[in-house]
Amino acid sequence: MGMILGKFVKKPEAKVTDLDLVSVHRDRVQYKITVSVFNPYFHPLPIVDVPFSLKSDGRVIISGKLEDPGSLKANDTTILTIPFAVPHDVIVSLVKDVGKDWDIDYDLELGLTIDLPLVGGFTIPLNRKGQIKLPTFKDLL
């Protein structure tokens, strides 16, 4: 099936383009994941599901999914923004483990499931590793 799918059915292409700190609140820190998806079809494609998991040092920091993901624009690139919040107590725990550089190494796993014509649900697995800035104590106060 994979070989047939690869030869005859066009597939959307996706990549994680960013993971950013958005804002700091008393009880949580807001981040966002940005995903760029190209739809090769001349009609919109419904996005079925976008679950994600953010890990650091083997432990899950946060997991969830994009609510109401919508659809991909026809024959164009769609930018998906996936907001998520990390609770204050998790940030404090990470800060204790990190020490003084305020960056943590992360591993992001994301699945983008799209409803393809004639095929049905098709999932594009996306992974990204990198470093993300933690807010300082001053930011948290």
Side-chain angles (χ1 to χ4, degrees):
M1 174 82 174
M3 179 115 163
I4 293 170
L5 181 64
K7 270 189 163 179
F8 300 109
V9 178
K10 296 181 278 187
K11 294 176 284 196
E13 296 175 16
K15 66 180 176 186
V16 175
T17 58
D18 230 338
L19 195 156
D20 284 321
L21 173 74
V22 175
S23 60
V24 178
H25 304 271
R26 185 173 292 267
D27 61 339
R28 70 197 183 289
V29 179
Q30 290 287 142
Y31 291 93
K32 73 175 179 176
I33 302 164
T34 307
V35 179
S36 173
V37 190
F38 177 72
N39 175 8
Y41 289 93
F42 291 104
H43 53 82
L45 293 176
I47 302 170
V48 178
D49 199 20
V50 186
F52 67 91
S53 175
L54 184 70
K55 299 176 184 174
S56 180
D57 200 25
R59 74 177 183 196
V60 175
I61 297 171
I62 192 87
S63 63
K65 67 180 185 173
L66 178 60
E67 297 296 323
D68 302 320
S71 60
L72 300 177
K73 293 184 254 180
N75 198 34
D76 199 358
T77 298
T78 301
I79 303 297
L80 299 175
T81 301
I82 306 165
F84 67 95
V86 178
H88 184 234
D89 59 334
V90 173
I91 294 291
V92 169
S93 169
L94 288 170
V95 167
K96 287 179 186 173
D97 294 345
V98 168
K100 61 185 172 200
D101 71 355
W102 299 103
D103 292 330
I104 61 164
D105 293 326
Y106 71 83
D107 186 4
L108 173 66
E109 296 174 0
L110 189 140
L112 177 65
T113 303
I114 300 160
D115 191 8
L116 283 180
L118 305 174
V119 175
F122 174 73
T123 301
I124 303 170
L126 298 170
N127 289 50
R128 180 176 173 148
K129 293 178 189 273
Q131 283 192 329
I132 193 165
K133 198 84 168 150
L134 290 175
T136 64
F137 281 118
K138 184 178 83 178
D139 295 329
L140 294 174
L141 298 175

